[in-house]
Amino acid sequence: MNIQHINTIPQQQNTISVYPQSVKTDNIPASTEQLKYIANKRNDKCNLISLNNYTYQQILCFAEESYTETNTLENYRKLGAEAYAYLKSEKLNTINITDHNNNKEYILSFIEGLLLKSYHFNKYKTLEPETFSLESVNIYSPNTTDTDTQILEITTSAVFSARDLVNTPVIDLSAVKLSETAQKLANEAGLQADVFDKQKIEELKMGGLLSVNAGSFDPPTFTTLQWKPADALNTKPIVLVGKGIVYDTGGLSLKPTPNSMDQMKSDMAGAATVMATIYAIALLKIPVYTVALVPSTDNRPGKNAYTPGDVITMHNGKTVEIKNTDAEGRLILADGLSYAKNFDPALSISVATLTGNAALAIGPYGIVAMGNTTDNSIDKLKQSGEKTFERVVEFPFWEEYGKSLKSDIADLKNLGEREGGAISAGKFLENFTEAPFIHLDIAGPAFVSKSTGYIPKGGTGTGVRMLIDFVKNYFNQA
Ligand code: BES
Ligand code: ZN
Ligand code: ZN
């Protein structure tokens, strides 16, 4: 897709005019007859109105202003998605967009929604692949620049790469494949990539990752991506650790079928999120030293699979009694968080589809956050969440939630109480990092069963836009 700014309002071409709902119909340039039609449609609460002029269409879009800025911006995104769906239904692949708002964030949100809606996953479609694509978008908007739209193109392509990874089944996405994709993204964006193979992981004594991998035919990987620009604002990095379970059967504590395994190809969504985030950060040349770590394996019974009752020794030397092999995400993340120490993080953030409990608590509408930071880091996450509508809700992180992780025979066990299970999972991780720590559980929003607005069914790429914004602003004063 080619997006560019234009300096004049084009005449007699397919055009989308984006207005705030507050615009009076009389102020819209159109014939008396057309104005009547528009007024009627607006009366019927229609927010997308097309005037068909035989050789071209004039599409009018009206965005509702909401009681919060967050929701107003989201209305613009959703309207952009609606506009994309309309263009697709009419097979219009060249379009001009004209901006009639006095707020550049509004028109940019509209364009963002339109771009995000253009996602499709054709990889396995031999019979009816999606063939429509928007070829050229010309933007008339004196308040915005090519740089603004380039940023949207980069963030959108990062989100799409996360969605692609989440949608790809394990038959085509082993841990090795995931690390190869990380290397590909790194080459494209100018990141430093290092992939550890099984032998190196054994040398590093990553007992969590190796135990989860023990039942698998395929070897594990541990991938490091680094973005360390010369103009970085920070000397200690933000380290993002993503859960890269390419498939979660539960292991010997096999997930109770039917249905409970259906979505488990998405158990590497945390990995996809951190990979896509650092990819965008590098392409955008954001001056923040950032590291992404991705421990990866599938979780299966078979071979020499780890068992309930096993006691394993983790990368940091602590011992863990296994109570349930389905609580595997915390074991590989723990090794990742422990390895992060090599980078002396200013802040470590884990991102994971970690617990069904988090999804049960808030559904697909937000990201569960918790942490032990004593500054305003979580507030900043929430702000980025509101701006991008990848909203963040903070759970308590009281020490009581960690007590149920005591083991009779080891330092810890990998299973806490059922109540507050998302939090005891976070508390488990806290044992493996000395850095200020935030944990994000994306089990709810990472993979969804129906499409809404610009969010497709399946892998959503949740957290990518939020984390890019967070990293960008983290070291700014104020
Ligand atoms: N990958 C799952 C969590 C999950 C569940 C993600 C549903 C997305 C949708 C995780 O590894 C898991 O199995 N967690 C268990 C933990 C339990 C054994 C303590 C869970 O949530 O039931
Ligand atoms: Zn599991
Ligand atoms: Zn899992």
Side-chain angles (χ1 to χ4, degrees), residues 221-293:
T221 57
F222 188 97
T223 303
T224 302
L225 299 174
Q226 290 187 68
W227 172 243
K228 193 175 187 179
D231 60 348
L233 300 167
N234 53 330
T235 49
K236 293 172 151 212
I238 298 178
V239 178
L240 307 171
V241 186
K243 173 176 172 182
I245 294 291
V246 288
Y247 198 82
D248 185 9
T249 68
L252 282 173
S253 312
L254 196 65
K255 285 186 181 292
T257 44
N259 301 121
S260 59
M261 247 181 250
D262 295 2
Q263 302 187 356
M264 285 304 133
K265 68 173 180 181
S266 68
D267 213 19
M268 33 52 70
T273 297
V274 306
M275 283 162 54
T277 299
I278 199 166
Y279 167 75
I281 286 168
L283 286 175
L284 294 168
K285 304 214 177 331
I286 292 172
V288 175
Y289 174 24
T290 313
V291 177
L293 302 177

